[in-house]
Amino acid sequence: MESLIDSITAFLSGLFGLAQGGFDGVNQVMGLLIAVIAALVMPAWSRLWATALGAAFVHILIGVIRPVLDGAALTLPPLLTLSFWMTVLALFLGYAIVIAVFFFIKTLFTGGRHRHRVHVH
């Protein structure tokens, strides 16, 4: 039983470390702009995970495109390495945290409800 608790603790510690690393990656100007736009576009809490995944994808895409705009050759990220996917997971967790905070602030200002239009037929 102690081994199970130690394993769970180690897993949660690693997950927290990934989230903290992703939060550090998001906590820059580009990441905050992506998170604000994502929170403004996100329609409901149920779309948080999809929105965070999209934001992480946009973050990676900008990282690939930015050097090309500066005149460098196009280089793809190392898609077949574990470190790349750990970075994507960290960014995903970081964006999930930041987007959730921004969306919460958005719901405070908008009343938390979406006004549905009533269609009369």
Side-chain angles (χ1 to χ4, degrees), residues 63-109:
V64 170
I65 298 294
R66 185 187 297 170
V68 173
L69 295 177
D70 291 336
L74 176 67
T75 56
L76 295 177
L79 297 174
L80 299 178
T81 62
L82 181 63
S83 63
F84 171 76
W85 291 107
M86 293 301 284
T87 302
V88 171
L89 179 61
L91 283 171
F92 168 73
L93 293 173
Y95 274 115
I97 294 167
V98 175
I99 290 170
V101 169
F102 286 152
F103 189 75
F104 177 72
I105 293 170
K106 174 186 162 185
T107 58
L108 288 177
F109 286 114

Side-chain angles (χ1 to χ4, degrees), residues 15 22 24 30 39-40 45 49 58-59 114 117:
L15 194 62
D24 290 342
M30 180 182 74
L40 290 174
W45 282 107
W49 303 116
V58 167
H59 188 104
H114 297 286
R117 296 181 187 168

Side-chain angles (χ1 to χ4, degrees), residues 5-93:
I5 293 174
D6 290 340
S7 296
I8 292 172
T9 304
F11 174 75
L12 291 177
S13 175
L15 194 62
F16 179 72
L18 270 175
Q20 185 177 12
F23 183 73
D24 290 342
V26 172
N27 198 11
Q28 298 172 9
V29 173
M30 180 182 74
L32 291 175
L33 285 174
I34 293 170
V36 165
I37 292 169
L40 290 174
V41 172
M42 189 169 81
W45 282 107
S46 62
R47 302 296 298 163
L48 176 63
W49 303 116
T51 305
L53 185 63
F57 175 73
V58 167
H59 188 104
I60 298 293
L61 188 65
I62 289 173
V64 170
I65 298 294
R66 185 187 297 170
V68 173
L69 295 177
D70 291 336
L74 176 67
T75 56
L76 295 177
L79 297 174
L80 299 178
T81 62
L82 181 63
S83 63
F84 171 76
W85 291 107
M86 293 301 284
T87 302
V88 171
L89 179 61
L91 283 171
F92 168 73
L93 293 173

